[in-house]
Amino acid sequence: MAYRRTPAVQARLDAQEQLIVQAATKVLSEAGFAGLSMAAVANRAGVATGTVYKHFDGKANLVTAVFRTVVAREVAAVTAAARTGSAVERVTAAVETFAGRAMKNPKLAYVLLVEPVDTVVDAERLRFRRAFAEAFESAVADGVAAGELPAQDPRTSAAALVGAIGEVLVGPLAAAPHAESVVPQLVTFAIRALGMQVSAERSGVSDADS
């Protein structure tokens, strides 16, 4: 007869797995994908390396779990931010949330967006990049339908925005301090790229910083 875990045992195992994922997230935030090892995660979680392997059969599997946990949370935040308001308000909120949260942990953002990873992890990354784009796509589609935006393909525009924002956050700025003007500049770029009018106040911020 097959062994069935009791609810208490399953709860303990789930809690242990969550602890390991949290530890892996911290290691990724400090050392990146290249610097993550099962031993390092075990040390951070305060468990034996063998315990980590009981939950995850390798580094790629563990990092995939981190992606699913962390990026799902980030996608939810961006989606919620872009849910209501005019096209300008929704796109602005989405950019500010996406970029603002990434800048709070640039090393982890680099891992999630562009750092070379295993194929299985890269597939997870692409899936969540599409999820991020969907938050922008909805705002663009509704803006076009309401006449707030010029005619365009919402999916293409959304994907372009996510790619451009990601490049700015983890490309040129990866090795330099993040200036306070970065997020406002990204918002201005997004508004202009979608064919919307930029307010004089926002345009002034952008021009002064350029």
Side-chain angles (χ1 to χ4, degrees):
M1 183 176 179
Y3 169 72
R4 292 184 179 180
R5 294 170 179 165
T6 66
V9 170
Q10 187 60 54
R12 180 177 61 79
L13 291 173
D14 290 344
Q16 190 174 65
E17 182 172 304
Q18 183 178 19
L19 175 65
I20 292 169
V21 170
Q22 291 172 345
T25 303
K26 292 178 181 178
V27 174
L28 284 173
S29 298
E30 298 168 357
F33 181 80
L36 182 143
S37 68
M38 303 297 266
V41 172
N43 182 64
R44 178 58 65 91
V47 299
T49 302
T51 299
V52 178
Y53 277 104
K54 286 181 180 179
H55 291 275
F56 304 97
D57 58 14
K59 177 177 176 177
N61 184 247
L62 174 55
V63 176
T64 294
V66 173
F67 267 55
R68 290 176 178 171
T69 300
V70 176
V71 183
R73 182 173 64 236
E74 299 305 306
V75 168
V78 173
T79 300
R83 186 165 290 141
T84 60
S86 66
V88 170
E89 291 169 339
R90 293 172 67 183
V91 171
T92 296
V95 174
E96 289 178 340
T97 303
F98 184 10
R101 291 171 71 93
M103 287 174 59
K104 291 179 180 178
N105 195 335
K107 186 70 174 181
L108 183 59
Y110 179 75
V111 175
L112 297 174
L113 291 169
V114 299
E115 184 178 7
V117 293
D118 289 354
T119 301
V120 64
V121 181
D122 202 38
E124 195 72 17
R125 168 188 288 159
L126 291 175
R127 187 167 75 87
F128 281 114
R129 282 178 72 95
R130 287 194 293 270
F132 274 123
E134 286 176 0
F136 287 90
E137 182 181 342
S138 176
V140 175
D142 290 347
V144 171
E148 297 176 296
L149 296 176
Q152 58 192 286
D153 178 56
R155 178 168 296 184
T156 299
S157 297
L161 284 181
V162 171
I165 294 169
E167 176 62 22
V168 170
L169 292 175
V170 300
L173 294 175
H178 290 129
E180 293 182 359
S181 63
V182 170
V183 174
Q185 287 175 344
L186 283 172
V187 171
T188 297
F189 163 78
I191 292 172
R192 286 174 173 165
L194 294 173
M196 292 184 281
Q197 293 294 321
V198 180
S199 67
E201 179 181 0
R202 187 176 296 282
S203 180
V205 170
S206 180
D207 292 341
D209 293 328
S210 60

